[in-house]
């Protein structure tokens, strides 16, 4: 049974950026796309480069959906479901994330 895990305060992440957090032993890339209290969490591992770098990627919008472009090979991953825009056979784990009382929480 999964549970919400407190990761950091919302103010710890600048708008339009992401950070990496170690959550229950997993590297999780957490993104704050805007000034609003909305956050997303995906696995930090780029499956093409086999490197934990996605938290350093650039947030972009395509067809009204938010994606992060890997800083290495530039494939884009959906922030909601982890799907890859360039290769439908590849996806990464996406986790539930929320802001509660000013803290970011993730459910693995």
């Amino acid at each position: 049974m999964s549970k919400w895990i407190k990761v950091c305060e919302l103010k710890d992440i600048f708008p339009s950026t992401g950070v990496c957090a170690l959550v229950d032993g997993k590297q999780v890339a957490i993104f704050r796309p805007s000034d609003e209290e909305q956050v997303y969490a995906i696995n930090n591992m780029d499956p093409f480069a086999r490197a934990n770098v996605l938290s350093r990627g650039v947030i972009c919008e395509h067809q009204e959906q938010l994606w992060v472009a890997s800083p290495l090979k530039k494939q884009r991953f959906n922030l909601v479901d982890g799907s890859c825009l360039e290769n439908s056979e590849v996806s990464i784990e996406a986790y539930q994330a929320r802001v509660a009382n000013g803290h970011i929480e993730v459910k693995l």
Side-chain angles (χ1 to χ4, degrees):
M1 182 175 186
S2 60
K3 62 180 181 181
W4 290 104
I5 300 169
K6 190 180 294 184
V7 177
C8 63
E9 293 184 36
L10 179 65
K11 68 180 183 182
D12 293 334
I13 304 177
F14 292 109
S16 303
T17 66
V19 299
C20 179
L22 190 60
V23 182
D24 205 20
K26 289 186 177 184
Q27 285 197 30
V28 177
I30 301 170
F31 296 95
R32 182 180 179 192
S34 69
D35 289 334
E36 298 178 16
E37 288 190 0
Q38 186 166 19
V39 292
Y40 299 90
I42 59 175
N43 191 308
N44 195 37
M45 172 71 76
D46 178 336
F48 295 98
R50 298 244 180 246
N52 287 305
V53 297
L54 292 180
S55 61
R56 296 181 183 181
V58 175
I59 299 170
C60 52
E61 188 172 337
H62 177 73
Q63 296 182 339
E64 299 182 20
Q65 294 186 29
L66 291 173
W67 304 77
V68 61
S70 173
L72 296 178
K73 298 193 174 188
K74 310 303 182 207
Q75 283 91 356
R76 291 168 286 178
F77 298 93
N78 188 295
L79 292 183
V80 173
D81 64 10
S83 62
C84 178
L85 184 62
E86 288 77 17
N87 186 337
S88 62
E89 296 179 7
V90 177
S91 65
I92 59 174
E93 290 179 277
Y95 311 107
Q96 291 180 314
R98 69 181 182 187
V99 177
N101 297 321
H103 289 87
I104 295 173
E105 297 178 341
V106 174
K107 186 184 277 189
L108 300 182

